[in-house]
Amino acid sequence: MLARSVHMTRRRPLPFRLQLAPFSIHEGAAQGVSRNRLRASDLSAPFRGTRAQAGDSGLRTRCEAFSLVMGPHQLFAGPTAAQLWGIPVPPRLARDVRLHVLTVGHDWASIAQGIIGSRTALPVTPEVMHGLRLTDAASTWCALAGLLSVDELIEAGDRLLGRPMPLSSSEQIDAAIAAHGSRRGIRRLREARPQLRAGSESPRETRLRLVVVRGGLPEPEPNGVIALRGGRSTHGDLVFRAYKVLLEYDGQHHREDAEQWARDVVRLNDLAEAGWLVIRITKDTPRAEILARTERALRNRGWRP
């Protein structure tokens, strides 16, 4: 009797395609999935008319689910598009599970539950990433201006021009600022734009660069290439090339990963052999100490204010 009960309550597996990504209930029905199966507890309903695997509530999954029911003139924008692009946003925005959806044209903005809708009558050329329509990277950055501080905008904007692959060109950024017009955040955009630099790999590198420059020290080169002996080369986080001084940010993984630590030791020895003075910084290093150590190193190498 127990064996029969277990057999009767066993769920029928979904078709393979429906196990890979969110799907609409119409697609499920077309593939022979019953209404009762669509109501099973191993499935969630991110938005009306959609289903996804229960427990999978990541940004990509939510966007894929809503893309099944979004209109032809709608696309992801703002913090949602930023995270899809890999543009860093503060935790307060990343924690908000609502999706930002822009409607282009004269249709009403989306008012679905879990959606922050907005509308524009201006023409917008959408980008497509992983099958999702979203605003281009430069326009996405401009749309963040009403939500971020100037320094947060600089951190986000450095990603547009950063490594390993830039998301926008300087010309595209300037064009997006011009198109932003007098909308909310334009003053912050104009203040942040001259402080963007190419080559950054992370917000922490941007923050460290701003500390150094605002402390009256010369501006370093983000992730500059450094030649080593034997024809080899490496990248330095913040490079004062004229003085052979290097600021390096050591993250937690540098200490916890034994292989990474061993590579770091070899690299630091190679830099010292090539005549570089390396200052290592962690997230706990006080601002005053960063400036004092960097200034002493630069002065020892011939820099004068």
Side-chain angles (χ1 to χ4, degrees), residues 211 217 281 284-296:
V211 165
L217 300 178
I281 304 297
D284 298 318
T285 307
R287 177 181 180 277
E289 181 178 341
I290 294 171
L291 292 174
R293 288 185 179 276
T294 306
E295 181 175 354
R296 285 197 299 270

Side-chain angles (χ1 to χ4, degrees), residues 55-220:
D56 185 359
S57 59
L59 175 72
R60 175 93 170 265
T61 296
R62 299 197 309 276
C63 289
E64 288 176 344
F66 189 73
S67 71
L68 299 169
V69 294
M70 73 191 316
H73 303 296
Q74 292 181 323
L75 62 162
F76 296 109
T80 301
Q83 291 173 86
L84 291 173
W85 277 113
I87 298 171
V89 297
R92 68 178 184 276
L93 297 184
R95 285 193 297 263
D96 190 342
V97 299
R98 295 174 297 175
L99 302 180
H100 291 252
V101 175
L102 176 67
T103 299
V104 181
H106 299 289
D107 294 338
W108 292 102
S110 179
I111 55 174
Q113 186 174 3
I115 299 297
I116 298 177
S118 58
R119 185 181 69 85
T120 180
L122 300 175
V124 175
T125 301
E127 299 274 350
V128 178
M129 181 187 297
H130 307 301
L132 302 173
R133 296 195 305 275
L134 66 164
T135 52
D136 67 86
S139 299
T140 298
W141 178 69
C142 289
L144 296 174
L147 302 171
L148 304 183
S149 68
V150 171
D151 281 5
E152 289 168 342
L153 267 181
I154 297 170
E155 292 172 18
D158 269 8
R159 176 62 193 95
L160 299 185
L161 302 171
R163 285 168 42 90
M165 182 72 70
L167 303 177
S168 293
S169 66
S170 295
E171 292 76 15
Q172 288 171 324
I173 294 173
D174 292 336
I177 293 174
H180 193 79
S182 60
R183 282 177 284 177
R184 182 184 175 198
I186 185 60
R187 291 185 180 180
R188 284 193 285 265
L189 286 174
R190 288 172 178 162
E191 184 176 348
R193 175 63 184 95
Q195 301 183 69
L196 303 189
R197 295 294 181 270
S200 180
E201 283 189 343
S202 68
R204 64 175 183 250
E205 290 180 6
T206 297
R207 289 192 288 269
L208 184 56
R209 173 175 64 83
L210 294 177
V211 165
V212 168
V213 173
R214 291 170 182 174
L217 300 178
E219 180 156 345

